[in-house]
Amino acid sequence: MKTLVIADNDELVENIKNSLEKRGMDAIVYRWLLKALDNLEEISPDLIIISAFEYPRHWKTLVQFCHSGITGKIPVCILYRQQEISEEELKKERELGIYGVFYDSESSQLDELLASLYAPSADRGASFGRSGSGAACHACRLR
């Protein structure tokens, strides 16, 4: 399983790679989103993890390009954010086809998203939402 990681923060990249390695997944890391976009067809990833914090506008272009089907394979997309966003923004992300969002690269949030993504299909029906306290949810799944 090939994963494209698009982030420039060394600590974030290392934490993501560790989560992926636990599941036996390979990571291809790009620090420049436009370079990743240019090579997307050749990479043909199954999963893309993008730092929306570092690429606040460009991630939307990349996701829309992926979901257009031009590359032949439509990967699952997960976002990293440093802070929680409004319900309206979460709705927009859902409409763009984002599978989930994680807010803390050092916690198990990404692990939870990966587990839900690769769980038997019956388990994927449940959705994760925000916690009642308004704090960042654990592995906020948008679908």
Side-chain angles (χ1 to χ4, degrees), residues 1-6 16-17 20-21 23-30 39-49 66 71 73-78 114 117-118:
M1 172 121 345
K2 239 188 290 186
T3 302
L4 175 60
V5 177
I6 306 170
I16 291 171
K17 285 172 63 176
L20 294 170
E21 286 173 3
R23 297 194 163 289
M25 300 168 73
D26 297 323
I28 300 166
V29 178
Y30 275 79
N39 293 322
L40 200 57
E41 193 171 356
E42 295 83 25
I43 298 168
S44 189
D46 301 293
L47 172 65
I48 299 176
I49 300 174
C66 289
T71 61
K73 180 191 245 180
I74 299 177
V76 172
C77 297
I78 293 176
L114 293 172
L117 181 61
Y118 298 105

Side-chain angles (χ1 to χ4, degrees), residues 73-141:
K73 180 191 245 180
I74 299 177
V76 172
C77 297
I78 293 176
L79 294 181
Y80 165 73
R81 290 194 171 278
Q82 284 195 326
Q83 57 189 353
E84 202 166 341
I85 59 174
S86 70
E87 289 295 329
E88 183 178 321
E89 288 299 311
L90 280 173
K91 182 180 176 189
K92 289 177 188 176
E93 290 176 0
R94 185 180 313 114
E95 290 169 359
L96 285 171
I98 297 298
Y99 179 78
V101 177
F102 66 105
Y103 299 95
D104 185 353
S105 70
E106 294 180 10
S107 76
S108 62
Q109 291 177 350
L110 179 57
D111 292 328
E112 290 176 30
L113 270 173
L114 293 172
S116 71
L117 181 61
Y118 298 105
S121 59
D123 293 342
R124 283 202 211 162
S127 67
F128 293 91
R130 294 169 170 256
S131 62
S133 66
C137 64
H138 295 283
C140 181
R141 201 163 94 210

